[in-house]
Amino acid sequence: MKNITIIKSFCVTILLSGILGCSDTLKEEVETFYSAEQVFSTKEGIETAVNGLYTTMSGYDYYGSGLIGLVYPISGRFYSNQTASADATSLNCTPENIWLPKMWGQMYATINVANNIIYNIENNGVVLDNEDFALAQARFIRGLTYFELVRLFGAVPLRTAPTTIANLHLAKSPKSVVYEQIISDFQFAKLKLPEAGKYLSDRPLKWAAYGYLAKVYMTLAGEDGGDPSKWQLANNEAIQMVGKYSLTTTYGELFTVGIENTKESIFELQFSQIGATRTSDVVRMFTPSNSTLAPPTSPTFGRIRPNKEVYDAHKNQYPGDPRIAATFIFDSYPRYPSGNQNIYPKQLTGNQSFACIRKFLDPGYNGTTTSRNTIVFRYADVLLMLAEIENELRGPAGAYQYVNLVLTRARNSVTPAAVQPANWAGMDQAQFRTRIMKERQYELLSEGHDWFDTRRRGYAYFKSEILDNHNNYAPNKTSGVDWIYPISEKNMLLPIPATELAGNQKLTAADQNPGY
């Protein structure tokens, strides 16, 4: 289904700006205006407003491109050849980074759309049978956006009402307060979202809220100074999802053009090639330039590439794992008009001394829009979460069952079945803890979890597994283009954008994150 992107753009405009009037730009009668009261007094108007919420979230500066261009490289698992954002790629991100204010702004625009939906439905004075579903979606998306903001930036301004002149300037709220709101939003969503029905992964069901609550509690349990009691709360939520979804038959079909909203997908942003507005840059960012993997009339950058130690870790841990071929383009790729371009591990120096990501190819890419959806949350993630939670609570004995489902699907993705990745057994709790974080890398690489997984276990983990591992990895020292990552705790958070510090009268230079 592609209904999320097929919207009336006038409602996006009204809800983003907070202005009470808007015009229907899909009609020639541009003098036709609608008030918020009119929009939210009908089922159709509410649905259009909710469509606008997903469109804003999937916009170019947030899920469409901002997260990819900024957060992927600074996760410590990817290289980018974008010179203008070299500060982020080298883990020396500045408050003036080109991506930073745009992503921050689009994330808060998403929150403002959600706040407008919530406010207007709660105050419209009418009762419509799609109001609860709309409210639940708005609070789910608001909770998800704040969950990403607080993990990326720490304490942030907490807006729970539509933006007006009176509340335009807002101080930061402590992380604990932001998390209270996130939990409240997800708790509301899990009560009000439907269990099933015509909406599958193109609209969240209540199980998505259960899953994100589990993620919240896992984050609060595992971070520096975390609360171990939260592991049980995480278990209480995640266990509810067992049996509500299932893994696809093969790993590769998750990333096959034309296969969308599968039985594994819990939440998926819908994209299409309708219209001419540039939204998702996922194909452009990952498809290598001048390759036959995209039409010659649709140039791609291929600028976001996995670090050498990331590719080698998977290949060395699980030789012959079918997920390797489904995740990476390696050794070489075919070029226009003929021949091949060598890349890692054949090419060891220069900008081509990196493998590429295969998951987001689109042979029908037109250079502006793509029909490739973005899978935000899928069931394999839940199984790995359950394995990690069970290990923390009771040790590995009961945790193998979850991770082994993921490994079995990986082996059976080819015929005859592969030998690797073999099922796990015989680990102690510490060994399992280390391996499950690596398994998340192998299964979910480049799907939006890398920043959060590299920071979620605290600075000691980040330093050892990301910073030291990268800086000491021999192939990185001879490539001629790789970065030496700074050994700095400041990289546990992104800097608050300079534009926000300058423009928000309730913030000062003292509100900048430590080290920036």
Side-chain angles (χ1 to χ4, degrees):
M1 298 174 68
K2 292 288 185 181
N3 57 319
I4 285 178
T5 54
I6 304 174
I7 65 163
K8 294 183 179 178
S9 61
F10 73 97
C11 274
V12 179
T13 302
I14 175 180
L15 295 171
L16 284 175
S17 65
I19 298 171
L20 295 182
C22 54
S23 71
D24 184 346
T25 57
L26 298 187
K27 298 180 180 179
E28 293 184 1
E29 297 84 7
V30 294
E31 71 277 5
T32 301
F33 288 86
Y34 299 84
S35 69
E37 181 179 356
Q38 290 173 306
V39 170
F40 288 95
S41 64
T42 68
K43 292 173 59 177
E44 293 77 12
I46 288 174
E47 180 65 14
T48 300
V50 173
N51 284 343
L53 173 61
Y54 291 104
T55 300
T56 308
M57 183 184 190
S58 59
Y60 183 81
D61 290 325
Y62 188 8
Y63 265 85
S65 194
L67 283 175
I68 301 169
L70 174 62
V71 178
Y72 280 44
I74 205 171
S75 72
R77 285 181 177 166
F78 297 91
Y79 171 82
S80 173
N81 65 5
Q82 185 180 26
T83 303
S85 191
D87 60 321
T89 306
S90 62
L91 273 65
N92 289 289
C93 190
T94 69
E96 294 80 19
N97 176 274
I98 60 170
W99 287 106
L100 198 61
K102 295 186 289 185
M103 187 182 74
W104 174 280
Q106 191 72 13
M107 293 175 83
Y108 272 101
T110 302
I111 289 167
N112 198 47
V113 176
N115 286 339
N116 271 279
I117 292 171
I118 295 164
Y119 174 84
N120 282 288
I121 289 178
E122 290 180 343
N123 294 278
N124 64 6
V126 299
V127 178
L128 300 169
D129 61 11
N130 65 339
E131 283 188 334
D132 278 355
F133 187 33
L135 279 172
Q137 290 176 87
R139 293 196 64 172
F140 175 83
I141 297 300
R142 185 174 70 179
L144 174 52
T145 305
Y146 270 124
F147 186 36
E148 293 180 339
L149 275 166
V150 76
R151 289 180 292 169
L152 291 169
F153 296 98
V156 293
L158 181 62
R159 297 187 179 276
T160 56
T163 303
T164 65
I165 296 298
N167 67 12
L168 182 62
H169 304 283
L170 192 64
K172 294 201 299 186
S173 292
K175 280 178 59 177
S176 59
V177 175
V178 179
Y179 269 112
E180 286 174 3
Q181 184 61 54
I182 293 165
I183 292 169
S184 174
D185 281 341
F186 285 144
Q187 290 284 10
F188 182 94
K190 83 175 189 181
L191 292 175
K192 297 294 186 178
L193 287 172
E195 293 186 14
K198 66 177 181 178
Y199 298 109
L200 298 173
S201 49
D202 62 334
R203 294 290 177 94
L205 301 176
K206 66 169 59 224
W207 315 115
Y210 278 101
Y212 274 106
L213 275 170
K215 283 182 178 286
V216 168
Y217 293 132
M218 290 176 72
T219 301
L220 295 174
E223 64 183 3
D224 287 331
D227 179 0
S229 69
K230 295 294 193 296
W231 287 113
Q232 184 60 53
L233 296 179
N235 182 78
N236 296 346
E237 303 295 339
I239 202 70
Q240 301 298 321
M241 303 182 71
V242 173
K244 304 302 189 299
Y245 300 87
S246 58
L247 300 177
T248 58
T249 303
T250 67
Y251 183 78
E253 68 190 270
L254 288 164
F255 314 107
T256 300
V257 174
I259 299 178
E260 299 169 326
N261 303 308
T262 68
K263 60 185 179 180
E264 183 169 340
S265 186
I266 298 168
F267 182 45
E268 189 164 324
L269 289 174
Q270 316 292 301
F271 289 91
S272 75
Q273 292 185 302
I274 296 174
T277 301
R278 186 171 165 188
T279 51
S280 173
D281 249 7
V282 66
V283 178
R284 185 189 296 262
M285 289 285 203
F286 287 107
T287 306
S289 60
N290 200 34
S291 75
T292 61
L293 302 171
T297 55
S298 302
T300 56
F301 300 147
R303 60 170 46 128
I304 309 295
R305 300 192 177 194
N307 282 342
K308 299 174 186 64
E309 71 274 13
V310 171
Y311 169 79
D312 284 346
H314 196 164
K315 181 188 65 175
N316 295 335
Q317 182 81 63
Y318 295 132
D321 183 347
R323 293 177 298 182
I324 296 173
T327 299
F328 301 102
I329 303 167
F330 53 92
D331 284 337
S332 66
Y333 63 81
R335 298 186 62 184
Y336 286 114
S338 62
N340 294 308
Q341 171 64 58
N342 285 343
I343 56 176
Y344 192 76
K346 280 188 176 180
Q347 179 74 28
L348 298 178
T349 59
N351 283 328
Q352 295 291 358
S353 62
F354 299 88
C356 301
I357 294 293
R358 184 180 291 278
K359 290 181 176 180
F360 310 108
L361 302 180
D362 181 3
Y365 181 57
N366 63 18
T368 302
T369 60
T370 179
S371 59
R372 294 303 306 269
N373 286 354
T374 294
I375 302 174
V376 181
F377 192 16
R378 58 185 176 91
Y379 190 54
D381 188 353
V382 175
L383 293 173
L384 297 178
M385 289 164 56
L386 283 165
E388 183 178 352
I389 293 165
E390 177 65 23
N391 182 61
E392 293 298 330
L393 290 174
R394 289 170 283 272
Y400 295 126
Q401 60 178 317
Y402 301 116
V403 67
N404 286 345
L405 286 173
V406 176
L407 301 176
T408 299
R409 191 268 298 273
R411 291 195 305 275
N412 291 336
S413 292
V414 294
T415 303
V419 175
Q420 294 285 354
N423 282 358
W424 290 6
M427 300 181 194
D428 61 28
Q429 187 179 47
Q431 290 170 327
F432 194 102
R433 182 181 297 126
T434 299
R435 284 287 303 276
I436 197 63
M437 298 305 291
K438 279 293 185 184
E439 197 58 41
R440 291 185 61 81
Q441 175 183 316
Y442 303 149
E443 175 72 21
L444 301 168
L445 184 71
S446 74
E447 296 180 45
H449 309 283
D450 297 284
W451 162 282
F452 306 116
D453 281 346
T454 56
R455 271 72 170 180
R456 180 164 55 80
R457 283 289 184 168
Y459 179 64
Y461 177 88
F462 176 63
K463 178 180 180 300
S464 172
E465 295 297 320
I466 304 302
L467 303 181
D468 293 343
N469 187 28
H470 177 83
N471 290 345
N472 296 326
Y473 197 65
N476 294 335
K477 298 179 180 181
T478 58
S479 71
V481 297
D482 231 314
W483 299 98
I484 298 297
Y485 291 156
I487 305 301
S488 173
E489 197 166 350
K490 77 174 187 179
N491 277 307
M492 295 297 286
L493 295 173
L494 294 176
I496 303 296
T499 51
E500 180 69 11
L501 292 177
N504 186 340
Q505 296 174 8
K506 294 293 183 72
L507 298 181
T508 69
D511 289 303
Q512 183 56 275
N513 284 328
Y516 292 102

